[in-house]
Amino acid sequence: MIRLVLVDDDPLVRAGLVLMLGGAEDVEIVGEAADGGEVEELVDRTRPDVVLMDIRMPGVDGLTATERLRGREKAPQVVVLTTFHADEQVLRALRAGAAGFVLKDTPPAEILAAVRRVAAGDPVLSPTVTRQLMEHAAGSALDTRRSGARSRMAVLNEREREVAVEVGRGSSNAEIAAGLFMSVATVKTHVSRILAKLGLNNRVQIALLAYDAGLLEEGGH
């Protein structure tokens, strides 16, 4: 069973999510919260696998709550709920460790699929959406991040760097293995080492850092 917590200040939205997701045989909704300030205590009490988190709430917003959660040991995965797909707050939530996001008008079956994917350890961002987000944040803000991102990426060896670039391009483990002539198991090992060396939570953060460092435009060099 996937243990799920719902966080949204609108009781009608929460009721709709319960209706949509509560009927799935493999999902158990173990808690609800109306404010990001309630999330940590709720997570401690219910031990969910996934938190479906609204971004905009009048008290503690979803961004702050995500940052707090993902900074903890054994943190649940976070999927951000939002109205706009190209949103600076969404990008900040992904940098903080959210595994992806879904729009509030997403069909129920797709929201359920997103919860299942995140619970299985897969991000819920397509390469196209990831690129849209990163382009949205381009410009002067990117310039200020580039040198810092390059310094962080310098700890990777050449093979890890190649894998990081392919993750940034949205390639699956199988695609990376075929393109770089290694086994899928070796790719998984490289991804785990990249996450550990860079202090990241998931593949989305690898993609964002590779983009910030300019590696995707340079072909990894």
Side-chain angles (χ1 to χ4, degrees), residues 135-159:
E135 288 175 352
H136 175 71
S140 60
L142 176 61
D143 293 337
T144 62
R145 290 195 303 268
R146 178 148 295 187
S147 59
R150 289 192 171 189
S151 295
R152 291 185 67 186
M153 296 291 285
V155 303
L156 304 181
N157 63 38
E158 184 176 355
R159 204 56 162 163

Side-chain angles (χ1 to χ4, degrees), residues 109-186:
E110 292 183 25
I111 294 179
L112 180 59
V115 169
R116 286 170 172 155
R117 284 189 60 185
V118 167
D122 295 323
V124 290
L125 286 181
S126 70
T128 301
V129 172
T130 304
R131 181 56 59 90
Q132 287 175 342
L133 273 169
M134 291 189 291
E135 288 175 352
H136 175 71
S140 60
L142 176 61
D143 293 337
T144 62
R145 290 195 303 268
R146 178 148 295 187
S147 59
R150 289 192 171 189
S151 295
R152 291 185 67 186
M153 296 291 285
V155 303
L156 304 181
N157 63 38
E158 184 176 355
R159 204 56 162 163
E160 290 164 348
R161 188 181 175 98
E162 290 174 341
V163 171
V165 169
E166 291 306 314
V167 169
R169 290 176 175 148
S171 302
S172 67
N173 286 343
E175 290 167 340
I176 296 171
L180 297 180
F181 306 103
M182 61 177 75
S183 69
V184 171
T186 301

